[in-house]
Amino acid sequence: MMKQAFSSQRRLLATASSSQKPSDAVLTGLLDPVSKAIQQVQAYREQNRTSPLFNHLSAVSESVPALGWVAMAPKPAPFVKEMQDAAMFYTNRVLKDYKDKDKTHVDWVKAYVSIWTELQNYIKQHHTTGLSWSKTGPVASASGAPPSAPAGGCPPPPPGPPPPPEDLSGTPGVGGDGGASTRNALFAAINQGADITRGLKHVSDDQKTHKNPGLRSQGGPAAPVRSGPKPFASAPRPAAAAAPSRALPPVLELEGKKWKVENQEGAQGLVISNTELKQVVYAYKCNQSTLQVKGKINSITIDNCKKMGLVFDDVVGIVEVINCRDVKVQVMGKIPTISINKTDGCHVYLSQDSLSCEIISAKSSEMNILVPNKDGEFTELPVPEQFKTVWDGQKLVTTATEIAG
């Protein structure tokens, strides 16, 4: 699938190198093969969440939208860099899992990351402000195939000049006297000033159709009323049948060493007990639900959840919050590390035993840490989202700043 995605983009680049930029409608059709290839890669990852190579698939799925740089003017290279950084979370996981086990996976990460690095270099050299189109040659067609060179001889001559504009005076001759006399008569009428209305016929109220409805039914069918052009009007399209949304069944089960909590909607009493130290919990696409994990386990991951509540006792590894919105996490025992990535709205309630835990955040907002007081109440502290970076002569120094105002 990745080979197909790059092949589709290669064909697009070949078309752009030999054709002029088409209209937006045609350009959308040319970009469609790349877009579909990206969607296939991302769908494959979602279909293989139980795969032992899920981190590999996630790294590819998070970074493959970088191929959309062809539509990201005027800064395509920074867009590729952003997508590469989005995959770094998962590539680091692969490096961590296989660093001392299998060097093949480590080499794969280096080779894969280098793809996007080289793509950025190519874009900076040839497409700095966006996809560059040829200034000569025909306009690109919807087929997307680059135009072929003629078999022999000189290329066909350019099209002739456009026909002269139509004479709006209504006379057959452009330079004849008819057009000049008509224009002179028009200017003479305009120069009459207020006297120009003296030639108009007065219409009494009984002759006005809007004041005398009886006139509307007289004299045969009325002429159609002309209306002005309607802005943004388009030809009516046949109503497409709405695709039925497939609701996936909720899941709460132990599969090997992994507790799977998926597709829960409004479930407020989810409890995982009888846990073991080697087990992990993975919650995915849960909405307005609450999960309690009892005992001591290895790690907990909350992925793509909204308005989710998590309460747990002890975790020896890490608690990760990824791609979530409005989640609350409460620690009852101990936890060494909490990671918040690509999340909007996260409240973390710490216990007295977990005050020394590390909180790592990236690409997230509205994060608050609540620290317990001696009286049992919590003090809410925001996690910085704005930073200042300066050069001290030897290295970059970054410090958190408070938003003014």
Side-chain angles (χ1 to χ4, degrees), residues 36-296:
K36 289 183 177 179
I38 293 174
Q39 294 174 8
Q40 289 177 358
V41 173
Q42 294 178 328
Y44 185 79
R45 175 235 190 178
E46 296 300 325
Q47 296 167 0
N48 293 272
R49 286 192 159 271
T50 58
S51 171
L53 301 179
F54 179 71
N55 288 328
H56 302 65
L57 298 177
S58 297
V60 175
S61 176
E62 292 291 330
S63 57
V64 71
L67 293 178
W69 68 267
V70 291
M72 299 303 295
K75 296 181 178 180
F79 173 75
V80 176
K81 180 65 167 62
E82 182 180 351
M83 295 299 101
Q84 181 182 2
D85 292 342
M88 190 177 299
F89 177 81
Y90 294 100
T91 55
N92 288 341
R93 276 185 161 190
V94 176
L95 294 175
K96 178 183 176 182
D97 294 342
Y98 294 95
K99 179 174 60 175
D100 300 324
K101 297 179 181 179
D102 191 344
K103 190 174 181 295
T104 304
H105 297 268
V106 178
D107 295 338
W108 176 85
V109 169
K110 295 179 180 179
Y112 182 73
V113 172
S114 68
I115 294 175
W116 305 117
T117 304
E118 293 300 324
L119 180 58
Q120 293 174 57
N121 296 334
Y122 167 77
I123 294 172
K124 292 176 182 178
Q125 184 176 358
H126 301 285
H127 307 274
T128 308
T129 58
L131 180 60
S132 298
W133 294 83
S134 175
K135 299 185 183 300
T136 60
V139 178
S141 62
S143 64
S148 57
C154 298
E166 181 183 359
D167 185 6
L168 300 179
S169 64
T171 58
V174 177
D177 295 336
S181 60
T182 303
R183 286 191 294 270
N184 291 335
L186 173 63
F187 286 122
I190 294 175
N191 290 333
Q192 295 180 16
D195 294 338
I196 194 173
T197 60
R198 289 185 177 180
L200 298 178
K201 179 183 177 181
H202 177 71
V203 179
S204 59
D205 290 345
D206 59 345
Q207 295 176 315
K208 299 177 182 178
T209 56
H210 68 283
K211 290 188 176 182
N212 190 358
L215 295 177
R216 301 176 188 174
S217 58
Q218 299 177 3
V225 179
R226 294 184 61 187
S227 61
K230 298 181 180 179
F232 309 109
S234 60
R237 298 180 180 178
S245 58
R246 185 181 63 173
L248 298 177
V251 176
L252 176 55
E253 62 182 7
L254 177 61
E255 186 178 273
K257 298 179 181 179
K258 177 190 290 187
W259 283 96
K260 296 172 58 177
V261 186
E262 300 178 358
N263 310 315
Q264 300 287 342
E265 290 284 342
Q268 300 296 327
L270 301 174
V271 179
I272 296 178
S273 56
N274 299 324
T275 56
E276 299 179 5
L277 185 59
K278 60 183 179 181
Q279 295 176 347
V280 300
V281 175
Y282 182 76
Y284 175 69
K285 278 193 174 180
C286 296
N287 185 28
Q288 296 183 345
S289 301
T290 303
L291 173 64
Q292 182 179 5
V293 181
K294 297 182 178 181
K296 181 182 294 187

